Amino acid sequence: MNWEAWLGLTAVFAFLILLVQRTEPKRRRWIALLALAAGELVRRYIVYRGWHTEGAWAFGAALVLNVFFWVLIGRSNPPRSSEDEIEVLGNE
């Protein structure tokens, strides 16, 4: 097993999953489509290099890491909506 490839693929998959997880709910569908497109490019690279085992283990490790992140941090700190921070100043 190529450990450097596994570590790099784990980082890429974890970033893509975390990107979708921490996006505000209104934009999550578009970010998920973008992440799926990027994931397909990574999958094609894995097939090209012949790293099938490394890719499967990296995806599983990225899922586990993101579940741990969600349990420890994500549930108590959900992503904020951009509408919560917008304040309109009145004309005086």
Side-chain angles (χ1 to χ4, degrees), residues 77-89:
N77 297 318
R80 291 185 179 217
S81 174
S82 60
E83 296 174 356
D84 294 341
E85 298 178 17
I86 298 174
E87 293 182 19
V88 178
L89 301 175

Side-chain angles (χ1 to χ4, degrees), residues 3-91:
W3 291 102
E4 293 173 357
W6 176 79
L7 188 61
L9 290 171
T10 301
V12 169
F13 284 137
F15 172 74
L16 291 175
I17 296 169
L18 187 66
L19 184 68
V20 173
Q21 184 182 31
R22 297 304 297 174
T23 303
E24 67 180 66
K26 288 175 67 176
R27 298 184 189 348
R28 193 167 287 155
R29 181 177 297 155
W30 295 106
I31 298 299
L33 288 173
L34 180 69
L36 280 174
E40 176 61 20
L41 291 175
V42 172
R43 188 195 67 82
R44 288 178 185 214
Y45 183 74
I46 289 170
V47 170
Y48 174 73
R49 290 288 186 175
W51 294 337
H52 304 288
T53 305
E54 290 87 348
W57 281 101
F59 187 72
L63 280 176
V64 168
L65 288 172
N66 276 286
V67 166
F68 280 142
F69 177 82
W70 179 76
V71 167
L72 296 175
I73 298 172
R75 284 191 305 170
S76 59
N77 297 318
R80 291 185 179 217
S81 174
S82 60
E83 296 174 356
D84 294 341
E85 298 178 17
I86 298 174
E87 293 182 19
V88 178
L89 301 175
N91 293 334

